[in-house]
Amino acid sequence: MTKKRKRQDDFQKVKLKVGKKKPKLENATATNFRTKTIHLPEQLKEDRILPTNNRKLNIKDLLSQMHHYNPGVKQSALLGLKDLLSQYPFIIDAHLSNILSEVTAVFTDKDANVRLAAVQLLQFLAPKIRAEQISPFFPLVSAHLSSAMTHITEGIQEDSLKVLDILLEQYPALITGRSSILLKNFVELISHQQLSKGLVNRDRSQSWMLSVNPNRRLTSQQWRLKVLVRLGKFLQALADGSSRLRESEGLQEHKENPHATSNSIFINWKELANDQQHIQVYENGGSQPNVSSQFRLRYLIGGLGNVDESLTSSESLKGFIEIIIPLLIECWIEAVPPQFATSVGNGIEREPLQVMQQVLNIISLLWKLSKQHDETHKLESWLRKNYLDDFKHHFMSNFPYTLKEITKHRRKDTNKSVKYCTILFNNVDHLLLNLTLSDIMVSLANASTLQKDSNWIEMIRKFVTETLEDGSKLNSKQLNRLLGVSWRLMQIQSNREATETLIKAVYTLYQQRGLILPVRTLLLKFFSKIYQKEELRSYRLRNRSRVLSRWLAGLPLQLSNLGSRNPELSTQLIDIIHTAAARANKELLKSLQATALQIYDPQEGTMVVLPTESQQRLVQLVYFLPSLHADLLSQLSRCCIMGRLSASLAVTLIGILHMRSSFSGWKHSLKDWLLSDMDYLSFLFSTLAGFSKEELTWLQSLRGVPHVIQTQLSPVLLYLTDLDQFLHHWEIAEAVCHSLLVISSRRQSFDVLQNAISKHLVGLTVVPDSTVGCVFGVLCKLLDHTCAVSESLLPFLASCCYSLLYFLLTLEKGEAEHLKKRDKLWGVCVSILALVPGVLKLMLQSLRVNRVGPEELHVVGQMLRLLLQHAPLRTQMLNNAVLVQQIIKNITTLKSGSVQEQWLTDLHYCFSVYITGHPQGPNALSAVY
Amino acid sequence: MAAPMEVAVCTDTAAQLWSCIVWELHSGANLLTYRGGQAGPRGLALLNGEYLLAAQLGKNYISAWEVQRKDQLQQKIMCPGPVTCLTTAPNGLYVVAGIAESIYLWEVSTGNLLVILSRHYQDVSCLQFTGDSSYFLSGGKDCLVLAWSLCSVLQMDPSRIVAPRHVWSRHTLPITDLHCGFGGPLARVATASLDQTVKLWELSSGEMLLSVLFDVGIMAVTMDLAEYHMFCGGTDGSIFQVDLCSWPGQRERSFPPDQDSGKIFRGHRNQVTCLSVSMDGSVLLSGSHDETVRLWDVPSKQCIRTVTHKGPVTNATIMLAPISMLSSDFRPSLPLPHFNKHLLGAEHGDELRRGGLTLRLGLHQQGSELSYQERLEQLQAVLSDSVEKNVLGGQDRLQLHVTELEDEVCNLRKINRDLFDFSTRVITTTRRAK
């Protein structure tokens, strides 16, 4: 019984009643406690050796966390790595190999967040690592990339494209080096190989089919679009790279290309003469080895032997084209189903349009690549044979339709709002699409097949002409295509009417105002290309296009109207004008002559407002001007002296005019250099004077300004120029002097100079010091035994000389600016006194010391002493000994009242040493007394 | 005579007593003078060592003297216009002259005018052949330098427009002078221009090697035979020496000399018009507008001799004296034919009068008669013949050939094996011996 009871106790049924609380079980777990996670955001220990990030983790910790099983840890490690590397960029260099091997390994991680972090890290790293730094590790990077691209998980495939984007942007050369694998990956991304037996070996092109994967997040069209965009980018990089390579290789094909020389040396003579530069023309001439060789015995990419042959050979390119073009056509058909295309009135959606655009873009890039490998046009004819019909059928049948629909579509949009339209079309460009298509098609045609293709070529031609004529809103990319197509059309159909209409259409576009710079540049380049092509034909065959010559003749006016607004454009214009002028193009020279006065205007002409390089070209252009008349020369001289043209350029200009003048050539050479001697000489003189007539008359009214030096003994006042102006003037005067020196009949040129001086300078009361100095310098150099200084000039020279000497002696130490002039001015003063005895005599005669104040007396005394001490002057001074003695006597009498000063003692001493002490001196003196 | 004698040949515009003077380079002794006309700049050329040609300044004829008969003008070659420059092929077979903007090429043996090239847009200013006569270069006032391949120029095909091998268009003002270095088609060419630069080009690739910018326009340029130095004569009368091979290290070791005098020959007072270097590169001859010809010692840059002329000097060149210049009883191997004024093959009266068979002398003409295209075709025909015979024609012979070659391979393998065994034996035994 007890047993039974006990049992009942044990198995007593708990009765649960509605409304009452359920009794607690004995073994129930208490859940009323709270847990808290222990969070270790940072380590306690400070690492002394390696720099750490915010969480005090160093690079080793972070990299080792990359192998953690938990995706969260991995992600945070990647973020931490980014943090660390942005703080301490030098770690990148030290640990590049580890970082890259770990980071690239997670491209194929299963977790999307980890991949995202890895991509972000790569995005951050890529700009900081130079291409040559990463190149040893690039095989690894690209291996991980291609394993990600071929991964069976769609997410990884999608993310791999982002990685590719980054690499393409930063390392185009490296990534295109692996094109063979990557291109295959691209194909596999959007298609699969058909393995039905009948087709495997027969035809490669049929064995690939577009694949449709319903599991993707995206529609397969979107996915294809994504892949195609990347493929387009990749091919673009490939095309750019190989064209760059080609350009550096040498230029047998394009002889006219002036920029293709890569390794020429440019030397400036001045630096060479100062031993600052050394020429080593002959690469292998010396004992030093050539270190910049590209040769590698073995590339670092162990197993991949076929790196080089990716798309660089025409065979492999052909293979790729065979695979990809059927796929692209399939894409196209999917985007624009034939039955849909024929129904007019429906606009093409944005997405298919994008697909179409990418398809065409890829094809045109392939064409471009094929052209680079195609020396013999073999590939071109192959392409034509295989694909012309397909293209005509699929693309060209819709060509006008496409246009129509799109215009319709656009009109619909413009009805709604303009803004909406621009948003919709910001990256879908129907015009570009059409142009790309025309580009592809046109490149398939050539002159010999013109008859067969005439119908669709006419279509394209009409389209191109129309687009050009209303092409105000073209951007540079579209225009580039457009001009490419027009160029090709011109080449295909080279009869005159056809080209003339095209050129005319381009010209109407060119004449529009407000074109942006790249567009304008492209148009200019296009025209200059046509011009050059036309020039290449021999004389008799040249049939000039009228539009072209009108364009050419308009250039100088454009240049002068452009002013300083756009120096780059001006440079291009000048280049073209220069080329045409050098080739003696009649129309251009005529219009250049007409606008020369505007271009070389000293106030705001093109020449003075542009930067130095353009100025130089313009200066050189002077050589080609058919006639240099007096007005132009006076403007040029103003340009020279106003200082807007640097001294060296001014010297160049003077040299060029010398070459144009009759003094440089051979006596019997052609007389058609229309530069009269009179104009040339007056140019030289006005450049020498350095100041225009107006400026000089303005100077005459200046009195009592600190810049004007006045003396009591000389009627000529000296105007002090700035040091810059002075030096500029001096340098130019030297060039002028040289030009005068080389004129064969010295006497005549000297007389001309004298006349000019007496006509324009004598009679002035205020004269600039630089002018006086330069005139003196030129006179001294020109003077030889055949010439004589006219009497009328002497008083002016003498008073100028005195003024100059007075200025030099009163110069104070403080005036650093003028101190630099001293040597030069002193030199010319002394040499003119030595060479022309009359000047010295007149100057001494004018020293009527009784009329001057005590300060100037002091100066006169000092001057006499210096002149006495100067050795080359000594004989001249001896001849004038009487005068000198008289002056000294006067000074002494004037000074007798006060204490005898040091300078007077010095003067007496010098006089006694140099004049009285001289063997002839006393005799001469005694003879006089 | 141990070494060949070098002579200086000079002309000036005055030409009062003579138009051309020849003097011995080192002693300065006058050897010969030629009379008649004033030679124009870059218009003096020695043809085949037998004739001296001088383009007349501003006149439309070229005077020709037999080298040994100094007082008598042999012929006046009439040209369609004033001759601006003239040169002859070193092999003596062609004469090239620049007349206005065209280049005229005559064949010396017949006197026929073979071709007129008009690719320049303005007057041609200078012409020069390469040392092996395979190319010639022309520079013009249109800032272009053109390099022509003689062979392609001579291929007579009226339908084809003759294109130059290279067009060098990087000068920006008229070309004043050019000099072609040694080495035939591999030569380097120096061009001088008024744009104050001298540029050095490679003829084979057409690339520019060097560009030197000066302070003045350059009127004349030359290089020594070894191409160590380039000499550039400026409009201001100085002659600049550009060292083409210099190392910084070398400079540092030597005591720095006076920088200015180290690189410049000073002395001329007006623009330098012509420069020439002797064979050994030790002496430089320069002519100038200041009516002097100066002889310089290159290492020390001093003026050794000054010869005063009566007018601006147009030509001054150093050349090896041909035998005919020294012995008076020398006769030219061929008489100079009448140079034709009209293009060969053009319809003109004097062409008909000549008639008869044209027989061309010299090996070079034989080559030029058969164009390269034809030769290539011949060669290709021969090659394809043999290929057809070997590959397609005789299958059995091919078999035979293959077996033969296989035997050969076996044989070679055996020899290789033997060699290997032998060497291993030798090496191992020597080891053991040690």
Side-chain angles (χ1 to χ4, degrees), chain A residues 279 322 355 430 489 506 552 695 705 811:
Chain A
I279 307 174
E322 274 177 341
V355 173
H430 66 280
L489 279 175
V506 181
L552 206 57
E695 280 170 332
V705 194
L811 257 183

Side-chain angles (χ1 to χ4, degrees), chain B residues 61-293:
Chain B
Y61 68 91
I62 301 168
S63 5
W65 294 277
E66 279 180 39
V67 165
Q68 81 286 1
R69 292 165 72 185
K70 52 195 177 185
D71 45 353
Q72 194 182 346
L73 202 59
Q74 207 270 339
Q75 189 185 335
K76 277 185 182 176
I77 301 170
M78 299 306 289
C79 301
V83 183
T84 51
C85 50
L86 172 80
T87 191
T88 57
N91 58 12
L93 295 176
Y94 302 99
V95 172
V96 181
I99 295 168
E101 57 257 326
S102 308
I103 302 169
Y104 287 64
L105 188 135
W106 283 279
E107 191 179 41
V108 173
S109 50
T110 58
N112 285 332
L113 178 58
L114 293 184
V115 69
I116 301 174
L117 304 165
S118 40
R119 255 311 297 282
H120 279 289
Y121 301 96
Q122 295 205 40
D123 290 0
V124 183
S125 59
C126 42
L127 282 166
Q128 202 176 14
F129 268 96
T130 56
D132 65 344
S133 315
S134 61
Y135 285 87
F136 65 93
L137 299 134
S138 62
K141 286 196 172 150
D142 53 356
C143 320
L144 295 179
V145 180
L146 308 179
W148 304 86
S149 158
L150 190 63
C151 299
S152 70
V153 163
L154 287 181
Q155 274 187 42
M156 270 185 271
D157 185 359
S159 64
R160 201 173 52 96
I161 301 158
V162 183
R165 174 91 169 73
H166 299 298
V167 179
W168 292 323
S169 56
R170 299 185 68 174
H171 279 294
T172 51
L173 278 181
I175 309 294
T176 50
D177 196 11
L178 57 84
H179 179 264
C180 181
F182 187 75
L186 301 175
R188 298 184 186 84
V189 179
T191 57
S193 161
L194 279 182
D195 65 3
Q196 312 188 339
T197 61
V198 167
K199 296 186 197 292
L200 193 68
W201 312 82
E202 201 170 49
L203 188 56
S204 52
S205 68
E207 274 195 57
M208 189 174 90
L209 297 174
L210 174 73
S211 165
V212 187
L213 177 68
F214 294 90
D215 294 338
V216 293
I218 301 298
M219 299 302 291
V221 68
T222 192
M223 290 191 281
D224 59 358
L225 206 58
E227 295 175 16
Y228 287 142
H229 309 295
M230 187 157 73
F231 302 96
C232 315
T235 45
D236 65 344
S238 18
I239 302 167
F240 307 95
Q241 175 185 325
V242 181
D243 297 337
L244 296 181
C245 307
S246 61
W247 286 279
Q250 206 179 14
R251 283 284 154 196
E252 279 161 17
R253 263 185 273 124
S254 67
F255 186 74
D258 185 12
Q259 304 301 358
D260 254 7
S261 66
K263 300 270 167 85
I264 303 181
F265 299 83
R266 290 187 195 281
H268 281 301
R269 283 178 285 109
N270 204 338
Q271 68 185 43
V272 178
T273 52
C274 42
L275 288 171
S276 180
V277 187
S278 69
M279 288 277 281
D280 57 357
S282 64
V283 182
L284 174 72
L285 187 75
S286 66
S288 160
H289 253 305
D290 66 1
E291 311 186 355
T292 56
V293 171

Side-chain angles (χ1 to χ4, degrees), chain A residues 731-772:
Chain A
E731 209 164 321
I732 289 172
E734 272 175 8
V736 171
C737 180
H738 180 258
S739 294
L740 285 172
L741 270 178
V742 296
I743 293 175
S744 51
S745 63
R746 178 67 59 82
R747 214 183 125 196
Q748 283 175 13
S749 59
F750 190 77
D751 285 346
V752 168
L753 182 67
Q754 272 192 131
N755 280 336
I757 292 172
S758 59
K759 204 167 160 193
H760 295 281
L761 295 183
V762 173
L764 295 181
T765 47
V766 181
V767 186
D769 59 348
S770 61
T771 307
V772 176

